[in-house]
Amino acid sequence: MIIGGLSAIFSAIFGYILAQNEEVTGQTLDLHQLGGIATAVLSSLTLFFLWLILKKGQSTKKSLYRWSLFAASLGVVFSGHFGGSLTHGD
């Protein structure tokens, strides 16, 4: 979980840098970028809830953890779809 969360953050940062240097523009890039940022934020939120559960013993946060994990997974699907469209075309 920790590796996945950190990877999402680094991917969003490097993706932003790459978008500034490439000639790709348009709605597909915008949606991919938005999805990547949302996934990084949701992954960070998921890590925070996991930390609360494991380190602080707040087992009442399990539902929030599961929902944020589900939302982050949807973010990966969303971003991956548009990233594939950028790489391979529509």
Side-chain angles (χ1 to χ4, degrees):
M1 189 67 224
I2 293 170
I3 293 170
L6 292 174
S7 296
I9 293 168
F10 284 117
S11 294
I13 292 168
F14 289 123
Y16 178 78
I17 293 168
L18 182 63
Q20 301 303 311
N21 295 324
E22 291 288 320
E23 295 179 8
V24 178
T25 59
Q27 184 179 13
T28 304
L29 176 64
D30 294 340
L31 290 172
H32 177 68
Q33 187 175 24
L34 179 65
I37 292 169
T39 301
V41 170
L42 288 167
S43 296
S44 299
L45 190 62
T46 303
L47 282 175
F48 176 70
F49 289 137
L50 182 62
W51 176 78
L52 286 177
I53 293 166
L54 296 177
K55 297 295 183 188
K56 298 291 185 179
Q58 296 183 12
S59 60
T60 57
K61 304 290 188 221
K62 282 184 182 179
S63 179
L64 290 172
Y65 167 75
R66 289 179 181 144
W67 279 108
S68 64
L69 181 60
F70 178 72
S73 299
L74 288 179
V76 169
V77 170
F78 180 84
S79 298
H81 169 73
F82 288 108
S85 294
L86 285 171
T87 304
H88 303 291
D90 294 326

